[in-house]
Amino acid sequence: MSKERTAFQRPQSAALVARLNESRRFMQVIAGPRQVGKTTLVLQATSGLDVPVRYVSADEPTLRGNANWIGQQWAIARLEARGKKGAVLVFDEIQKIPGWSETVKRLWDEDTRARLPLKVVLLGSAPLLIAQGLTESLAGRFETLYLPHWSFAEMRTAFSWTLDEYVFYGGYPGAAPLITEPARWSRYIADSLIETSVSRDLLLMSRVDKPALLRRLFELVCRYSGQVLSYTKMLGQLQDVGNTVTLAHYLELLAGVGMVCGLHKYAGDVARSRGSSPKLQVLNTALMTTVYGVTLDEAHEDREFWGRLVESAVGAHLANAVMTGECELYYWRERNHEVDFVVRAGRELTAIEVKSGRAPLAHAGTAAFVKAFKPQRSLLVGGDGIALEDFLGQPVSHWACATDG
């Protein structure tokens, strides 16, 4: 049974505390997928500050279209900041207010000119939408703290999860207490995470002419996670009259809300990489197992499916590091040779092969890639290589950093 996570704090909490203790310089933007603990982290980080903290949420339908609400909340926080050491104003789900970035820019600049020590934290569940508002109006006024899905190390520490539990149930802390009731857990993931991310975040974020196609694309990625699939084949699977440009755009939108993504083929050239067929990848294996509708025992008994789940867990671990800016992630395939993942961190290149069972240390695909691109290191995860538990238990920088450790 999962234990409660009352005392657990993600490492990003310490980073936010340090920033809020500095002199007013930038707004702090906390972005990431739904249910990764953004609000909890901010409340933990601000609880020990010796200045007033005002927390408000725009996640109310009555606030839609009401940019004046931002000004009203800002005015109250200004009163709390004057004559004191300052104050902190936290806006949750700020992207729900149309035109929010222009209003925030005006108010922030007014405080800058007045030298008012009011610090501002912005939270949002739709990273792409927040990014659009930031780049359009707030350039030079903010820095971002991205919260990815929870890692195996975090779920193990917070909930005493085993490796198999993490591979199957993924990294959603809010759903952790439900894993003793698999049907209830699956329903929670489907209703509170998948449907909410699509309906409330993604469809609010951008124009989607074919929402049914987008939903089927999401399910397709979950079912084919770990496999390379051309956009033409995807259209055939989806049985929809559409085009590859639409599918590529929808895949980017799904990545923007932290659900699934498509990895480009490594070619040593950006243009050639982006023109490749994508390798489909879930960002949290809970999405994959929920769509499949299987139990942990059933997944374990299906060796082929479990192997794909293990590879997807490794891919998710790597892809979430991409979201935080640690590295870039690709796959590689040339004729019959393939490398599961290629990680580029700065000038360092790392080839990663994943095996769920025993496997020889020598792999033709890795050897071909090493000959063609001369990576700094090549790793085997699982089999006779690095234990899966060890690989997932360490940050990606431990395995693909600038120096061997």
Side-chain angles (χ1 to χ4, degrees):
M1 181 177 292
S2 298
K3 64 183 181 182
E4 295 298 324
R5 69 180 196 281
T6 51
F8 184 81
Q9 293 192 20
R10 303 194 74 181
Q12 293 88 350
S13 178
L16 180 58
V17 169
R19 293 180 185 184
L20 291 177
N21 279 320
E22 295 174 348
S23 299
R24 179 185 181 277
R25 186 178 295 117
F26 304 111
M27 281 178 272
Q28 298 300 319
V29 177
I30 314 301
R34 278 194 172 269
Q35 297 295 312
V36 296
K38 297 183 297 296
T39 301
T40 299
L41 181 136
V42 170
L43 294 176
Q44 289 174 335
T46 56
S47 64
L49 299 178
D50 59 354
V51 297
V53 177
R54 182 169 183 79
Y55 170 88
V56 293
S57 175
D59 197 17
E60 291 290 340
T62 56
L63 297 176
R64 304 290 166 78
N66 187 4
N68 291 331
W69 175 81
I70 297 176
Q72 293 167 356
Q73 301 302 324
W74 205 292
I76 296 172
R78 281 173 169 172
L79 292 174
E80 295 176 332
R82 286 195 174 100
K84 302 175 183 177
K85 291 186 287 186
V88 176
L89 174 58
V90 180
F91 282 107
D92 205 346
E93 299 289 356
I94 187 70
Q95 80 279 357
K96 299 291 178 64
I97 306 293
W100 66 269
S101 57
E102 291 84 358
T103 302
V104 168
K105 175 186 177 182
R106 174 177 59 80
L107 296 168
W108 176 265
D109 288 351
E110 288 175 1
D111 288 353
T112 299
R113 289 191 294 271
R115 296 186 179 181
L116 186 69
L118 176 59
K119 301 170 185 177
V120 176
V121 181
L122 308 177
L123 290 83
S125 295
L128 266 183
L129 188 57
I130 278 203
Q132 291 168 0
L134 294 172
T135 55
E136 288 169 3
S137 303
L138 300 176
R141 297 170 176 84
F142 71 93
E143 56 183 338
T144 304
L145 196 61
Y146 185 87
L147 265 63
H149 291 283
W150 283 43
S151 67
F152 170 54
E154 290 175 308
M155 296 301 286
R156 179 175 56 188
T157 301
F159 302 104
S160 300
W161 272 19
T162 65
L163 175 64
D164 285 358
E165 285 175 331
Y166 181 76
V167 168
F168 183 86
Y169 293 111
Y172 282 121
L178 304 179
I179 66 171
T180 56
E181 303 176 73
R184 186 181 174 192
W185 173 87
S186 181
R187 192 73 265 159
Y188 175 84
I189 298 296
D191 293 342
S192 297
L193 293 171
I194 296 175
E195 183 58 30
T196 304
S197 294
V198 172
S199 297
R200 296 186 59 186
D201 293 338
L202 202 154
L203 296 180
L204 281 173
M205 184 171 60
S206 180
R207 176 178 173 178
V208 176
D209 294 326
K210 295 186 174 185
L213 175 62
L214 185 143
R215 291 174 187 275
R216 293 203 301 273
L217 175 62
F218 165 74
E219 292 184 4
L220 181 76
V221 176
C222 291
R223 292 187 178 277
Y224 285 84
S225 181
Q227 300 182 48
V228 178
L229 210 61
S230 71
Y231 288 113
T232 302
K233 288 184 178 179
M234 285 188 223
L235 284 173
Q237 291 278 350
L238 296 169
Q239 298 179 339
D240 195 281
V241 178
N243 57 61
T244 59
V245 175
T246 299
L247 280 186
H249 174 57
Y250 286 0
L251 194 55
E252 289 181 357
L253 291 181
L254 289 165
V257 291
M259 298 178 77
V260 300
C261 66
L263 306 180
H264 298 296
K265 173 185 173 183
Y266 184 81
D269 179 272
V270 174
R272 290 173 59 198
S273 291
R274 291 196 173 277
S276 63
S277 296
K279 178 173 183 174
L280 305 180
Q281 175 64 54
V282 295
L283 294 172
N284 193 314
T285 52
L287 304 174
M288 185 176 175
T289 52
T290 297
V291 167
Y292 264 91
V294 294
T295 65
L296 175 56
D297 289 340
E298 290 170 342
H300 236 313
E301 291 171 2
D302 187 337
R303 295 185 62 184
E304 180 182 352
F305 177 72
W306 187 259
R308 290 180 48 222
L309 198 56
V310 166
E311 182 178 337
S312 292
V314 172
H317 186 56
L318 297 169
N320 278 292
V322 174
M323 299 297 180
T324 63
E326 289 182 51
C327 61
E328 298 171 36
L329 181 63
Y330 307 87
Y331 75 94
W332 182 75
R333 174 185 286 179
E334 199 66 46
R335 299 186 179 88
N336 295 326
H337 295 145
E338 182 176 355
V339 173
D340 291 328
F341 301 105
V342 177
V343 180
R344 183 165 65 187
R347 296 184 178 181
E348 301 287 306
L349 203 61
T350 302
I352 299 175
E353 184 72 16
V354 183
K355 296 298 178 185
S356 56
R358 293 187 62 81
L361 288 173
H363 298 274
T366 302
F369 183 83
V370 169
K371 182 177 180 181
F373 297 101
K374 298 177 175 56
Q376 276 65 38
R377 63 191 67 78
S378 57
L379 306 175
L380 173 66
V381 179
D384 294 325
I386 301 166
L388 179 63
E389 185 167 5
D390 293 340
F391 185 84
L392 295 179
Q394 294 285 353
V396 172
S397 58
H398 178 83
W399 307 108
C401 57
T403 57
D404 292 307

